[in-house]
Amino acid sequence: MSVSPRLSVSDHSRDSAGLRHVYPVLSRRAGGLSVGINLNPNHACNWRCIYCQVPDLRRGGAPAVDVALLAQELEGFLADVLEGDFFERYGVPEDQRHVRDIAISGNGEPTSVAEFEQVIEAIGKVAGRFGLPGRIGFVLITNGSGIERLPVQQGLKHWAALGGEVWFKLDSATEAGIRRINNVHLQPQTVRRRIAVCAKLCPTWLQTCLFAWDGAPPSAPEQEAYLAFLSGLVCGGVALRGVLLYGLARPSLQPESSRLARLPAEALEAFGAAIRERGLAVRITP
C-alpha cells in the first residue's frame, strides 16, 4: 500500500490528490472529509480577500471547465474514498473517516465559470451513482458576484434539489470595509440584492470571517453596520439559514498577512450573541 501525504485541518492544498478539479479536505467546520471541487485551477479570482490562503492568487476569471474530466475525477475519487483504502493511505483519524460534504470552493470564485450549470448537473449525477444525496451535504462557497447570471441561477436550483446550500461571503456591510477586506468596489445594497436572489433559489448561510487588523477587532461602526445590515435582511423577509461566523485558521498568503491575527473565541461568541438578537441562527468556528 502506497502512503500519501497525511491530511490535516491546517492544510487545504488543492493538489493533494493529484487531480485538476477534485481535492480532499479535513474540515474543522464539517467535522470530517469534505470533497472539494476547484473550478479555478489557474489561481484566479475576481476578488482578493486579505485573509485568503490561496498561493499565487491573481485577479481574473476562471478558465473553461472540462466538465467530463471533472465528472471522471469525482467518480474515481469517490470510489477510492467509499470503496478503497483512501482513509488509510492519507492517515485520516478513525473518528473522521466519513464524507461530510461535497464543497465547491477552490482557488477562486466558482460562479465565474461559464459552465456553472453543467458542473452542478455533473456533480449531481456522480453523487447520485453513489447514493449520496440525502446522506451528505452539498455546499457552494461564493462571494455572490455571479448570482444574477441566469446559468448560475439555474445551477442553484439544481443544487437546492440535491439538498445543497450556499455559503455566501459577507465580511463587511460598508463600502469601505468591503474595499479593505475583499479588495472590490461594491455597494452594500448590491450585496443585499444578491443575497436576496440567492436565498430564493437555494438555502443560504452568510459566511463571515472575523479577525483583528493591526491588533484591533472590527470597529464599533463596522460592527453596527453589519448588524443593521442583517436586521434589514430579516425585516425584508429574506429567508436565511443563519450566519457562519469563523476566525482565522491558517496564515494568509496575501501582502496584508502580518497585519492580521486571530481574535479570541470570546470575541466571536459575543458577536454571535448580537447576531442572534437580530433573529438569525449562528454557527461559530473560532
Side-chain angles (χ1 to χ4, degrees):
M1 179 181 70
S2 62
V3 178
S4 302
R6 293 179 66 88
L7 291 183
S8 161
V9 295
S10 63
D11 181 4
H12 287 195
S13 173
R14 313 302 195 213
D15 58 5
S16 57
L19 303 172
R20 179 172 176 81
H21 293 295
V22 180
Y23 62 98
V25 168
L26 274 187
S27 172
R28 63 191 183 124
R29 282 187 283 179
L33 182 70
S34 179
V35 180
I37 304 294
N38 182 15
L39 303 182
N40 302 73
N42 61 345
H43 296 223
C45 187
N46 55 2
W47 288 22
R48 190 189 69 77
C49 301
I50 59 176
Y51 54 77
C52 184
Q53 296 108 16
V54 172
D56 304 317
L57 181 71
R58 62 183 181 85
R59 299 298 283 263
V65 176
D66 184 337
V67 179
L69 173 63
L70 187 154
Q72 178 184 342
E73 288 187 350
L74 181 58
E75 183 158 9
F77 183 81
L78 288 174
D80 188 21
V81 170
L82 298 171
E83 302 165 0
D85 62 354
F86 172 88
F87 289 123
E88 291 81 5
R89 294 200 322 273
Y90 280 82
V92 176
E94 291 283 349
D95 62 346
Q96 296 186 44
R97 293 187 176 184
H98 38 254
V99 178
R100 286 298 192 187
D101 59 42
I102 293 176
I104 304 176
S105 179
N107 290 346
E109 173 50 38
T111 65
S112 69
V113 303
E115 302 83 4
F116 184 82
E117 185 178 1
Q118 297 95 307
V119 165
I120 298 297
E121 291 175 349
I123 293 172
K125 288 179 182 178
V126 173
R129 294 187 194 117
F130 291 91
L132 295 178
R135 293 172 49 201
I136 68 169
F138 294 85
V139 177
L140 167 68
I141 302 175
T142 177
N143 62 33
S145 55
I147 292 297
E148 292 172 296
R149 292 177 48 231
L150 183 58
V152 172
Q153 294 184 10
Q154 291 298 113
L156 288 178
K157 291 177 183 178
H158 294 315
W159 201 238
L162 276 176
E165 61 187 28
V166 175
W167 294 1
F168 194 112
K169 184 186 298 292
L170 177 69
D171 295 318
S172 173
T174 70
E175 185 177 1
I178 294 169
R179 185 168 59 252
R180 178 168 63 89
I181 297 173
N182 309 122
N183 278 279
V184 288
H185 295 276
L186 195 59
Q187 296 285 341
Q189 55 263 37
T190 300
V191 180
R192 182 180 293 108
R193 184 180 70 244
R194 291 173 177 174
I195 292 171
V197 169
C198 187
K200 285 183 179 179
L201 297 167
C202 189
T204 299
W205 290 84
L206 300 182
Q207 177 179 259
T208 299
C209 187
L210 206 63
F211 54 88
W213 171 270
D214 290 339
S219 67
E222 271 288 323
Q223 294 189 41
E224 291 165 4
Y226 180 97
L227 294 171
F229 184 91
L230 296 187
S231 295
L233 290 172
V234 172
C235 293
V238 178
L240 294 170
R241 286 291 178 90
V243 177
L244 304 173
L245 194 61
Y246 70 105
L248 298 177
R250 303 177 303 283
S252 165
L253 294 180
Q254 303 309 306
E256 299 88 351
S257 176
S258 63
R259 305 182 68 180
L260 311 182
R262 296 184 70 174
L263 288 171
E266 294 79 11
L268 273 72
E269 292 290 347
F271 197 55
I275 293 171
R276 291 188 184 98
E277 290 177 357
R278 271 66 184 178
L280 289 170
V282 182
R283 293 180 185 171
I284 300 174
T285 309

